[in-house]
Amino acid sequence: MDDLQAARVNGIRLAYRVAGDPGAPPVVLLPGRGADHTTWDEVIEPLAASWRVYAPDLRGHGQSEWPGDYSLESMRDDVVGLLDHLGVERAIVIGHSLGGVVAYLIAEEYPDRVARMVLEDVPLPVPAGQSVPERPADPFPFDWAMVEQTTDQRNDPGPAWLKRLGEITAPTLVLAGGAASHLPQHEVADLAARIPGAELVTIEAGHEIHKHRLEEFLSAVTAFLTR
């Protein structure tokens, strides 16, 4: 695995990990809220055998810049800006949780940039009725303002986000974490039903499928990507 790199994107520093043959088809891994590229450590090496893998830290996370503005639209545009920086016209986009919301916002707004999409236990864009979690006392590797602002957007998502799921053209795999996940699984199933042609696979692993059932996660993803 190569060293962490960085790009100037939309006026901020975006850090990302890269691995695999530069000539291989590109895959972008987008982590969930509060996580960074290291959440994918066990995923990157197996995927890098067949794909060029890019794993960015979203703004406000890890070693990317913490600018104070954390709309999901800005995260979406950061990823597209990173693709521009890398000279990547189209990529496979794999997103977990909040990273999956960013992924489907890319597929809605920039359909030509997404070759295929995998959504790992990702919420439907409907009002979530969440409260901001209690701020931890210990230092944490993300900006707390990001938690506050993304909670606001989970409670009041963009009005077009739900409708535009039906306009997504990228072949899509939706992975559901099953009964142990904190996300309502009927909403994950509804997400899959709204994306044309999307496939829904449930892996009883809880919210972090790639952490708790790595082999099943990789099997489902690689089967979908190579079909």
Side-chain angles (χ1 to χ4, degrees):
M1 193 181 299
D2 297 339
D3 291 335
L4 200 63
Q5 300 186 24
R8 196 77 184 166
V9 173
N10 295 335
I12 67 166
R13 178 185 183 275
L14 212 65
Y16 62 97
R17 183 76 69 187
V18 58
D21 184 342
V27 170
V28 179
L29 301 175
L30 302 179
R33 187 168 76 173
D36 59 21
H37 67 277
T38 60
T39 190
W40 301 112
D41 280 353
E42 295 182 320
V43 173
I44 290 173
E45 186 174 353
L47 291 184
S50 301
W51 292 275
R52 178 69 162 177
V53 180
Y54 301 98
D57 291 351
L58 297 173
R59 64 167 58 204
H61 291 78
Q63 297 187 52
S64 286
E65 196 166 333
W66 300 11
D69 169 24
Y70 300 112
S71 73
L72 292 164
E73 295 93 339
S74 65
M75 294 180 183
R76 171 199 69 193
D77 294 342
D78 289 346
V79 176
V80 173
L82 179 62
L83 295 179
D84 291 341
H85 171 81
L86 296 168
V88 173
E89 292 186 5
R90 299 179 79 229
I92 296 160
V93 182
I94 300 175
H96 172 236
S97 195
L98 176 140
V101 178
V102 175
Y104 65 62
L105 293 181
I106 296 170
E108 290 178 354
E109 188 70 17
Y110 305 98
D112 294 342
R113 309 303 296 268
V114 182
R116 282 178 176 259
M117 182 166 62
V118 178
L119 303 176
E120 179 192 354
D121 215 47
V122 175
L124 193 67
V126 295
Q130 293 182 340
S131 57
V132 176
E134 184 176 349
R135 185 180 181 129
D138 296 333
F140 33 88
F142 52 86
D143 189 345
W144 193 253
M146 177 275 302
V147 175
E148 296 171 339
Q149 292 174 39
T150 57
T151 298
D152 287 344
Q153 283 202 290
R154 284 280 283 117
N155 292 333
D156 186 21
W161 296 359
L162 188 66
K163 179 181 178 181
R164 295 187 72 187
L165 292 172
E167 301 172 5
I168 289 174
T169 56
T172 300
L173 171 65
V174 176
L175 298 177
S181 172
H182 71 276
L183 289 185
Q185 293 297 284
H186 69 276
E187 290 190 8
V188 180
D190 192 2
L191 176 67
R194 289 172 180 272
I195 298 174
E199 178 182 353
L200 175 66
V201 173
T202 297
I203 299 174
E204 293 288 346
H207 187 52
E208 293 185 305
I209 303 169
H210 69 282
K211 288 283 191 181
H212 301 302
R213 293 288 178 86
L214 175 64
E215 294 306 320
E216 291 176 61
F217 174 85
L218 288 170
S219 177
V221 169
T222 55
F224 171 70
L225 297 185
T226 56
R227 187 172 305 154

